Amino acid sequence: MRMSRTGQKDPVTREGVSVARPSWLRNPPRHVAIIMDGNGRWARKRHMPRIVGHRAGATAVRTIVTATRSWEIPYLTLYAFSWENWSRPRQEVDALMGLLEEYIDREIRTMMEREIRFFVVGDRARLPSSVRSKIAWAERETKDNGRMVLTLALSYSGREEIVRAVQRLAEDVQKDRLDPDQISETVFSQYLETSILPPPDLLIRTSGEVRISNFLLWQLAYTEMYFTPTLWPDFREEDFRQAIEDFQERRRRFGKADEDIEGLPG
């Protein structure tokens, strides 16, 4: 395996693999992150319970994961349940946890067949024990899969992730395992839960909301943003393709002037 930017092994291996991407996929993102928003509104528009919207949203997850794998995009991160979502009614939270377990049981075979590694970030301590066990099992089963990493952000808060990283870093400094002078952006990134992942190239948010909602705050520093009014259960492969085609038309400067970017006139 190759080494990632954090010095850890890159979980996605591509050596010796012949990639036959669609012709329109000229310069795809390596890592796509999605804020899956709009399940409740989708259900409300149809005068249905919110859980029906969440079930429809789970179908959209399968569609987008399948497309991501088919297009040989190696990293997909989905914001499935935020830290703030714990404030929702207990019945809805319980139903969401049940849906998560169902999803893992239903999709584990596909993940194994298609060499998809399953990975979770977030505060697992707040999750029900059955969900924690199911996640741990799926991560163990898929840990050697090397063609794609599917990450779910569960009970996740970008601020809390940064705070926990600072706590771990401070402990290492206190125990003389780390010299403060060695601390850099790269070193700090190793203390984040997402240390095995490259930063997202593209963030997609559905439902028309235009904010990042405490998601991957450190990692999104130079991520391209794409917002769509489409509600998550209605987000199809063609919507995903449109977002990626839009991404491919952008000039990613990373703080540089146009004349410093290869291919642009001086």
Side-chain angles (χ1 to χ4, degrees):
M1 289 186 179
R2 294 164 299 161
M3 303 300 285
S4 72
R5 65 187 178 90
T6 62
Q8 298 194 29
K9 289 182 177 179
D10 191 326
V12 175
T13 56
R14 305 288 293 282
E15 291 84 352
V17 176
S18 176
V19 178
R21 288 196 177 105
S23 59
W24 62 268
L25 205 56
R26 307 180 312 277
N27 183 32
R30 187 164 185 249
H31 182 181
V32 177
I34 303 179
I35 300 175
M36 306 178 294
D37 195 14
N39 291 345
R41 274 166 283 177
W42 185 92
R44 189 165 60 247
K45 285 173 62 177
R46 291 160 175 76
H47 307 288
M48 295 178 176
R50 289 177 63 88
I51 188 58
V52 176
H54 293 310
R55 286 193 174 276
T59 299
V61 168
R62 192 176 207 283
T63 298
I64 299 310
V65 171
T66 298
T68 303
R69 178 65 185 84
S70 297
W71 297 340
E72 295 284 353
I73 295 172
Y75 296 93
L76 176 66
T77 298
L78 304 176
Y79 202 5
F81 190 86
S82 73
W83 180 279
E84 293 77 15
N85 287 159
W86 288 112
S87 64
R88 293 188 177 186
R90 178 63 180 272
Q91 185 177 10
E92 181 179 356
V93 171
D94 288 346
L96 284 167
M97 294 298 111
L99 273 178
L100 173 61
E101 292 191 67
E102 287 179 26
Y103 176 82
I104 294 173
D105 284 334
R106 186 176 64 247
E107 300 298 329
I108 190 70
R109 180 175 179 179
T110 299
M111 286 190 273
M112 296 303 296
E113 290 175 347
R114 306 216 65 190
E115 299 181 70
I116 299 172
R117 177 178 174 179
F118 182 74
F119 183 57
V120 167
V121 295
D123 183 6
R124 302 189 190 200
R126 300 188 70 179
L127 298 171
S129 60
S130 61
V131 174
R132 294 199 303 270
S133 296
K134 188 73 70 175
I135 289 170
W137 169 73
E139 288 181 328
R140 286 194 305 271
E141 290 294 305
T142 64
K143 65 182 177 63
D144 294 326
N145 292 345
R147 297 294 297 279
M148 174 181 157
V149 178
L150 169 61
T151 302
L152 296 188
L154 295 170
S155 186
Y156 178 84
S157 158
R159 287 181 173 179
E160 286 297 321
E161 182 189 20
I162 291 170
V163 168
R164 288 194 296 271
V166 170
Q167 290 171 338
R168 289 191 290 270
L169 188 150
E171 182 180 355
D172 279 353
V173 170
Q174 188 177 41
K175 294 182 177 180
D176 293 326
R177 292 195 290 252
L178 179 67
D179 187 325
D181 290 337
Q182 296 176 320
I183 299 173
S184 63
E185 290 185 16
T186 300
V187 169
F188 181 77
S189 294
Q190 295 176 20
Y191 286 83
L192 296 169
E193 294 178 65
T194 55
S195 61
I196 69 167
L197 309 174
D201 301 296
L202 172 63
L203 171 72
I204 299 170
R205 180 167 187 153
T206 59
S207 87
E209 302 293 348
V210 186
R211 56 180 179 270
I212 59 175
S213 297
N214 201 12
F215 184 45
L216 300 178
L217 297 181
W218 174 272
Q219 299 86 342
L220 293 177
Y222 286 103
T223 299
E224 296 294 324
M225 309 285 185
Y226 180 88
F227 300 98
T228 173
T230 302
L231 300 176
W232 176 247
D234 292 328
F235 194 76
R236 302 288 190 260
E237 182 176 315
E238 52 267 31
D239 300 295
F240 193 25
R241 172 175 171 169
Q242 182 176 342
I244 292 175
E245 288 184 323
D246 180 88
F247 168 83
Q248 292 183 137
E249 297 302 319
R250 300 189 187 185
R251 295 285 190 179
R252 303 191 72 196
R253 295 177 175 81
F254 299 99
K256 298 178 182 179
D258 281 353
E259 58 268 23
D260 295 329
I261 301 174
E262 184 179 355
L264 289 181

